Amino acid sequence: MKKNIIKMLLGMFLIAIVSTIWAANGDIMVENVNYPGTITVNGKTLVLNGAGLRTKIIVDVYTLGLYVPQKSNSADTLLKMQGPKLVEIHMLRDVEAKTFINALKEGLADNDRDSKVLAQIKPQVDQLVDLMNTTDLKKGDVVKFAFAPVKGTNISINGTNKGTISGGDVFYNAILSIWIGSAPVDRVLKSKIVAE
């Protein structure tokens, strides 16, 4: 009996150590989707700032992780942060292209406080619509919005390059504001991404 208790305690201790090691590397698991603590994009190492679940009413729509050069628990700091950034979305259900695009456009409009940014980035939004309007998203699809200074915002689906949109950080930050702006699409998701 005494040996069984010691084995059980030792097993619990080992599980605690292994769990701590996994947590220490910065990985985050959301709905069985693993977001690594660090990734490399165009030769630059980015860290996972946070990840969470997007729900609409009671439906799980997608998980989302935000990678940045340096972690921050301030949305304003993340939006102003220089350098590459990446938003990685894992779809948990099928979503038609039109529905996904409309959600992006609504999120952009909701976060355009002074109605100046949308006018400034209209050509980029039109290009985004053109790139995304023929692709219905399926459960399991991975959508990435990767920003690289000078190059712009690259969009890929399941590793297939859909195109790159110029417009610098003004356009990318408008996209990022959909999730971490003053009127985020999902406040709980924002709190997980920003780690507030």
Side-chain angles (χ1 to χ4, degrees):
M1 180 75 164
K2 193 174 183 182
K3 284 185 179 182
N4 286 341
I5 292 173
I6 290 172
K7 285 181 181 179
M8 185 177 76
L9 290 174
L10 183 58
M12 290 171 57
F13 177 72
L14 289 174
I15 289 170
I17 289 174
V18 170
S19 297
T20 303
I21 291 170
W22 285 339
N25 71 9
D27 289 8
I28 297 176
M29 183 74 75
V30 183
E31 296 293 311
N32 293 320
V33 175
N34 183 55
Y35 288 92
T38 60
I39 60 169
T40 303
V41 177
N42 295 326
K44 304 282 185 186
T45 299
L46 300 179
V47 296
L48 179 63
N49 201 78
L53 174 65
R54 164 66 171 128
T55 57
K56 188 165 186 178
I57 306 171
I58 59 168
V59 178
D60 295 344
V61 183
Y62 55 78
T63 64
L64 184 146
L66 172 63
Y67 290 90
V68 291
Q70 182 177 340
K71 286 183 97 163
S72 174
N73 62 358
S74 163
D76 286 338
T77 299
L78 290 167
L79 289 168
K80 293 175 185 171
M81 191 174 289
Q82 299 294 306
K85 301 173 193 168
L86 179 119
V87 167
E88 181 174 311
I89 297 170
H90 290 254
M91 300 303 299
L92 299 179
R93 63 185 299 263
D94 294 354
V95 176
E96 291 181 355
K98 182 178 179 180
T99 302
F100 191 76
I101 290 167
N102 286 341
L104 291 175
K105 288 168 77 174
E106 285 175 23
L108 288 168
D110 290 346
N111 285 282
D112 189 14
R113 296 179 211 150
D114 54 11
S115 299
K116 292 180 182 174
V117 174
L118 271 182
Q120 182 181 351
I121 64 169
K122 185 181 181 322
Q124 288 83 7
V125 173
D126 291 344
Q127 189 178 355
L128 172 66
V129 170
D130 289 343
L131 292 175
M132 300 287 295
N133 71 1
T134 59
T135 308
D136 291 336
L137 298 173
K138 304 293 183 196
K139 181 178 179 179
D141 282 352
V142 179
V143 181
K144 294 183 182 181
F145 293 88
F147 174 71
V150 181
K151 292 181 181 178
T153 300
N154 179 264
I155 300 165
S156 66
I157 299 176
N158 299 325
T160 300
N161 181 19
K162 298 295 286 183
T164 299
I165 301 171
S166 62
D169 56 1
V170 173
F171 174 69
Y172 192 82
N173 288 342
I175 293 291
L176 192 52
S177 291
I178 294 169
W179 300 287
I180 67 169
S182 60
V185 69
D186 184 323
R187 291 200 177 276
V188 174
L189 175 58
K190 176 182 176 177
S191 72
K192 299 293 185 183
I193 298 168
V194 179
E196 296 175 316

